Amino acid sequence: MSNDFDARTLPLRNGSIATLVRVPAEGVTRGAILYVHGFADYFFQRHVAEHFTAQGYDFYAIDLRYCGRSLRDGDIPHFILDVSLYYEELDAAAEELRKDGHLRFTVMAHSTGGLITPLWLDARPTLPVDGLVLNSPWFELAEPRLARTVGTSLIRSVGGFYPRLELRKGLGGVYGESIHKDHHGEWDFDLRLKPLTAFPVLAGWLRAIRIGHAKLQAGLNVEAPVLVMHSSRSLLRTKTWTPAAMTADTVLDVADMVRFAPGLGHDVTVVEIADGMHDLFLSAEAVRTKALTEVDKWLAR
């Protein structure tokens, strides 16, 4: 399921790679979508690609450097020291879309991708982007206030001096168990590329994320219209799986998404998806259908 996409390798200046996968539109092409994944993630959601290709969109998804299909021996998964490093492969992906004849495109992103892409578009105001769709974007730490304030100051210092210091072994298994077919979910994905408990959280990576959070929270100027979608509730800091995890965001605080969404640009729409999980498109069938339908309606504008 995760390896049957047409994939292109995008070589990067530091010797690493990114990977762009493509699912062509069914029939006449009406546009293109570029999808960006989150932390401890990669693109495997074929049903999402097929939903949009059925409507005439060429669907592209990028596995960023050190992520998913782009991981090579010796790489530290998802480890970067500056979020802006990702702009190189996103620029390269946009160029690939242009070569394929797409003069304009829509960006779609999930979780950490929902932090990376607004920062990228803010830094690239002339990119020919028609819209930005964010699925449960990561705008703030889902932690108590002390961790957001004093803890962030410490991370900025420690992460600069000891970037590979391991802060946490992972993110716990509640969300992973909620989506994987061998536990309580419907989905099959490569557990080497997306472990149930995610990857270790390293100080330098978290420092980069917190710097990105601060910039986003200060306000951006994304020129394209933005759609922010989130679950109706969060269920945080739970250690073991319960049925309630199937109808809530168990990774991020939805209140943060609502709070910071208006600062992304001049045209922002916020939509709540009742009973959604962290990845709204991996939620129960009726819920993910609702989320995809909301995107369809918004794109129809």
Side-chain angles (χ1 to χ4, degrees):
M1 179 176 182
S2 60
N3 296 314
D4 58 350
F5 294 105
D6 170 45
R8 308 177 192 177
T9 297
L10 306 179
L12 304 176
R13 288 191 296 267
N14 70 346
S16 60
I17 62 167
T19 308
L20 186 68
V21 302
R22 175 178 179 265
V23 184
E26 299 177 14
V28 178
T29 302
R30 62 185 289 194
I33 291 172
L34 174 63
Y35 180 98
V36 183
H37 61 80
F39 174 63
D41 204 0
Y42 72 105
F43 186 73
F44 63 90
Q45 299 93 327
R46 176 169 284 279
H47 68 288
V48 175
E50 291 177 345
H51 174 87
F52 292 106
T53 58
Q55 299 177 65
Y57 291 97
D58 281 345
F59 191 94
Y60 299 79
I62 188 168
D63 284 3
L64 300 165
R65 67 184 71 195
Y66 315 136
C67 305
R69 299 167 184 82
S70 304
L71 263 175
R72 299 188 297 187
D73 290 343
D75 288 345
I76 302 175
H78 294 255
F79 183 62
I80 49 92
L81 297 178
D82 190 329
V83 170
S84 67
L85 290 173
Y86 291 132
Y87 301 174
E88 180 185 359
E89 53 257 55
L90 293 173
D91 289 342
E95 176 61 16
E96 289 296 308
L97 268 65
R98 187 195 66 79
K99 290 177 181 177
D100 286 352
H102 296 294
L103 301 182
R104 304 191 66 81
F105 60 96
T106 295
V107 178
M108 187 175 296
H110 168 59
S111 197
T112 308
L115 169 66
I116 296 164
T117 51
L119 294 171
W120 173 52
L121 295 183
D122 180 72
R124 303 286 191 269
T126 60
L127 270 177
V129 171
D130 285 326
L132 173 63
V133 177
L134 301 181
N135 167 3
S136 302
W138 191 18
F139 292 161
E140 176 60 284
L141 286 183
E143 299 290 346
R145 180 174 176 80
L146 190 63
R148 300 184 187 205
T149 53
V150 176
T152 292
S153 297
L154 290 172
I155 287 300
R156 287 202 175 202
S157 177
V158 173
F161 287 104
Y162 305 102
R164 299 191 182 195
L165 177 68
E166 186 177 291
L167 302 176
R168 294 177 64 174
K169 294 289 185 184
L171 302 180
V174 172
Y175 177 60
E177 292 177 15
S178 298
I179 60 175
H180 197 271
K181 69 178 184 64
D182 290 344
H183 295 269
H184 307 282
E186 300 178 51
W187 311 105
D188 187 17
F189 49 85
D190 191 331
L191 294 174
R192 297 168 301 171
L193 307 182
K194 183 179 174 62
L196 292 183
T197 59
F199 292 110
V201 175
L202 304 185
W205 174 83
L206 188 55
R207 178 180 184 272
I209 293 296
R210 292 305 282 153
I211 291 172
H213 281 159
K215 184 171 183 180
L216 182 143
Q217 292 169 15
L220 302 179
N221 187 28
V222 176
E223 294 289 342
V226 182
L227 172 64
V228 175
M229 298 193 302
H230 62 86
S231 176
S232 50
R233 68 188 186 98
S234 291
L235 180 65
L236 302 175
R237 291 178 284 282
T238 180
K239 302 298 184 182
T240 56
W241 184 89
T242 66
M246 305 300 290
T247 57
D249 192 323
T250 56
V251 179
L252 298 179
D253 191 337
V254 299
D256 293 328
M257 303 173 200
V258 175
R259 176 184 175 193
F260 293 111
L264 297 176
H266 67 282
D267 184 353
V268 180
T269 302
V270 180
V271 174
E272 177 179 290
I273 303 297
D275 297 329
M277 290 198 292
H278 178 52
D279 187 337
L280 298 168
F281 299 154
L282 299 183
S283 302
E285 184 175 7
V287 179
R288 64 180 181 260
T289 298
K290 170 66 173 174
L292 289 165
T293 300
E294 289 293 339
V295 178
D296 294 343
K297 291 192 298 184
W298 186 81
L299 288 174
R301 285 175 38 182

